[in-house]
Amino acid sequence: MENCHTPSFCLDLTIGFSSSSPLSSGESGGGSTMRELDINLVPSSGTEEECMEVEEEDESPNGGGPARRKKLRLTKEQSHLLEESFGQNHTLNPREKETLAEILGLKPRQVEVWFQNRRARSKLKQTEMECEYLKRWFGSLSEQNRKLHKEVEELRAINVGSYRHSHLLPPASALSMCPRCERVTAASNTKMSHLRQRQLSAACYN
DNA sequence: CGAGTCAATACGCATG
DNA sequence: CATGCGTATTGACTCG
């Protein structure tokens, strides 16, 4: 990471959604009294133990009240296949969508929504990582900045000490930065600064 | 389609 | 061990 300090991110920000797969069937969270939406039917698997069992009752709980979503959980196989497909292509054309839906035993709409969510969450993850990187970069720049300020102070002190009696005090504008080590050097052609520059240059290559 | 959001479910942890 | 709570995950929806 330290070897890339350019704004054009050379970070490896590729992400792998470790899609914390839907596990354990067991506790189907007490409050599943509400169900609706045949979109949640998973026609494929009667045997899929990972998948939430989907009971089909079209009645809303309160007898006509606003029916609420019953959430489908994809099986490991379904998730895996979707991930695989996403890995190959982040978008689907209608035909691919149909095919995939058929293979998965899902509705095309569900596949479409899954891809939308997947794209959005990839992007979010990416953004979070970039943010994290920028924060660290900022921290390192701040530190660098602090060091440079300190060095400037040191050089000023040296200059004040040595030039006090020589009337050769170089202007502040004569300071320059070594591109190699990013240290500040006095760039004037005085004996003093030549010497100092040589020392610093030598330090760069060590 | 992306962004924002809701809501169901899963999971970890503290408490009694 | 059961329960409640906070939080994370993720399928589905709405809106522009």
Side-chain angles (χ1 to χ4, degrees):
Chain A
M1 161 154 294
E2 301 304 324
N3 55 355
C4 48
H5 283 179
T6 52
S8 58
F9 300 130
C10 46
L11 268 187
D12 180 14
L13 291 173
T14 51
I15 54 175
F17 255 54
S18 60
S19 75
S20 58
S21 56
L23 299 167
S24 66
S25 47
E27 123 359 76
S28 57
S32 54
T33 52
M34 54 291 258
R35 53 186 70 99
E36 57 125 17
L37 289 178
D38 64 346
I39 195 173
N40 291 319
L41 281 175
V42 184
S44 64
S45 62
T47 61
E48 291 291 352
E49 76 284 1
E50 261 79 21
C51 193
M52 299 295 306
E53 87 277 30
V54 180
E55 304 153 42
E56 184 166 23
E57 290 176 23
D58 282 332
E59 290 175 15
S60 50
N62 303 330
R68 299 175 72 184
R69 298 174 229 171
K70 170 90 171 75
K71 185 168 175 163
L72 156 82
R73 306 292 300 196
L74 300 175
T75 65
K76 279 179 185 172
E77 287 74 19
Q78 286 171 321
S79 294
H80 184 252
L81 218 128
L82 284 163
E83 286 293 345
E84 223 167 44
S85 175
F86 185 80
Q88 290 164 10
N89 206 343
H90 287 202
T91 50
L92 292 176
N93 62 40
R95 196 189 161 94
E96 290 169 330
K97 195 200 302 178
E98 282 288 344
T99 310
L100 193 53
E102 198 169 329
I103 294 171
L104 291 167
L106 295 172
K107 295 192 165 188
R109 171 66 181 156
Q110 287 177 299
V111 173
E112 180 182 319
V113 167
W114 188 92
F115 268 75
Q116 279 177 5
N117 282 326
R118 189 64 175 77
R119 281 192 294 272
R121 284 157 189 162
S122 277
K123 192 175 177 182
L124 178 66
K125 199 87 185 169
Q126 181 96 10
T127 305
E128 282 172 358
M129 290 177 75
E130 284 175 8
C131 181
E132 200 51 42
Y133 170 71
L134 287 173
K135 271 196 259 177
R136 269 183 284 171
W137 191 23
F138 174 77
S140 117
L141 286 177
S142 297
E143 176 61 13
Q144 233 178 314
N145 193 32
R146 194 189 60 75
K147 283 180 183 165
L148 289 171
H149 274 295
K150 194 176 162 205
E151 196 162 352
V152 166
E153 288 309 312
E154 285 170 7
L155 286 171
R156 284 224 176 91
I158 290 170
N159 285 338
V160 168
S162 0
Y163 290 112
R164 179 160 288 156
H165 306 294
S166 68
H167 312 292
L168 291 172
L169 197 65
S173 59
L175 291 175
S176 68
M177 186 188 287
C178 169
R180 185 177 181 87
C181 67
E182 298 186 335
R183 284 185 136 181
V184 174
T185 62
S188 74
N189 57 357
T190 63
K191 210 175 179 179
M192 171 69 190
S193 57
H194 275 309
L195 185 64
R196 172 74 177 142
Q197 270 188 319
R198 250 202 298 274
Q199 285 171 345
L200 289 173
S201 297
C204 289
Y205 290 85
N206 291 337

